[in-house]
């Protein structure tokens, strides 16, 4: 079995994790809807790799709410930092009964070792779950425009680090919602939640902030 984080615990408002550095208190923050005109979902660092392949599992096209799960870092019960622990695309409100690793292209879970997972590389500290329609527009932007929209001199004030929302395809409304990826650059896996009847409940990218 490949690596699967304890998402049931992570995706719980008020959950508390501790390690030698301090405590991590989980908050859930809505970050608006993600518009998926094709129903295909891409997990990527959109500033570096907007051409990433979509996951093989699709969802009903339309607007789907998204949540950022933020870990408030506490030392002696005072907030010293906050980091996005996970980004969730909510497909259904049904309870999630199991999680599976999201794969793209010809990735095969059977080839993974016990602690391995497939993930997307982050090199600009930003992550998203978005429709290829929006990312195709972003691919055509020059560096200045990308910086102006997604790396502004002053980030909007938000309890969610790195939160930026921009509609990239006016015709369909397809947008890109970015959040800061945990402690920064790395390789982050996305898991798909399924209900008892096997329907998809959510896509969750884990930014590996809280201790195991």
């Amino acid at each position: 079995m490949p690596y699967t984080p304890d998402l049931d615990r992570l995706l719980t408002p008020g959950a508390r994790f501790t390690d030698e550095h301090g405590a991590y208190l989980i908050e859930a923050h809505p970050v608006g809807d993600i518009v998926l005109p094709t129903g295909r979902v891409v997990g990527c660092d959109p500033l570096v790799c907007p051409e990433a392949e979509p996951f093989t599992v699709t969802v009903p096209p339309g607007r789907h709410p998204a949540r950022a799960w933020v870990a408030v870092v506490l030392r002696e019960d005072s907030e010293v930092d906050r980091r996005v622990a996970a980004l969730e695309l909510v497909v259904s409100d049904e309870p999630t009964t199991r999680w599976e690793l999201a794969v793209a292209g010809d990735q095969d879970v059977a080839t993974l070792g016990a602690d391995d997972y497939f993930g997307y590389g982050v090199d600009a500290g930003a992550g998203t779950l978005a429709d290829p329609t929006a990312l195709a527009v972003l691919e055509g932007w020059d560096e200045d425009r990308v910086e102006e929209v997604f790396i502004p001199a002053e980030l909007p004030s938000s309890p969610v680090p790195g939160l930026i929302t921009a509609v990239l395809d006016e015709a369909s409304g397809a947008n890109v919602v970015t959040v800061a990826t945990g402690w920064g650059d790395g390789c982050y896996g996305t898991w798909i939640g399924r209900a008892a009847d096997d329907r998809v409940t959510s896509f969750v990218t884990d930014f590996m902030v809280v201790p195991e």
Side-chain angles (χ1 to χ4, degrees):
M1 283 291 285
Y3 168 76
T4 304
D6 186 354
L7 294 173
D8 297 326
R9 185 172 172 213
L10 177 61
L11 307 183
T12 302
R16 194 179 173 102
F17 299 78
T18 53
D19 65 11
E20 68 274 20
H21 304 297
Y24 306 80
L25 186 66
I26 301 298
E27 296 178 348
H29 294 280
V31 292
D33 289 348
I34 293 174
V35 179
L36 303 171
T38 68
R40 290 179 296 160
V41 181
V42 179
C44 68
D45 177 339
L47 312 187
V48 176
C49 201
E51 71 283 1
E53 284 192 80
F55 298 124
T56 53
V57 171
T58 59
V59 302
R63 304 178 76 89
H64 297 282
R67 288 186 204 117
W69 293 86
V70 175
V72 180
V73 185
L74 303 169
R75 299 234 166 88
E76 294 172 357
D77 282 338
S78 296
E79 180 177 330
V80 294
D81 198 358
R82 49 179 48 229
R83 299 281 170 163
V84 180
L87 177 63
E88 180 182 21
L89 169 71
V90 182
V91 181
S92 156
D93 288 332
E94 285 184 81
T96 299
T97 59
R98 67 182 179 89
W99 296 95
E100 67 188 48
L101 183 63
V103 297
D106 58 3
Q107 290 173 337
D108 181 359
V109 173
T111 63
L112 292 173
D115 294 322
D116 299 339
Y117 61 94
F118 294 117
Y120 65 80
V122 170
D123 207 26
T128 194
L129 292 166
D131 192 284
T133 309
L135 293 166
V137 175
L138 186 56
E139 221 182 318
W141 283 12
D142 63 28
E143 215 170 299
D144 289 346
R145 191 163 180 205
V146 171
E147 283 199 14
E148 188 186 328
V149 174
F150 288 103
I151 316 171
E154 204 169 307
L155 274 169
S157 172
S158 166
V160 179
L163 177 60
I164 302 271
T165 304
V167 175
L168 273 79
D169 182 56
E170 294 295 341
S172 65
N175 60 351
V176 170
V177 175
T178 64
V179 294
T181 52
W183 301 113
D185 298 344
C187 179
Y188 300 109
T190 300
W191 281 264
I192 296 167
R194 290 195 184 266
D197 63 5
D198 228 32
R199 278 190 294 189
V200 173
T201 55
S202 67
F203 284 69
V204 177
T205 305
D206 175 20
F207 297 125
M208 306 179 100
V209 170
V210 299
E212 279 295 294

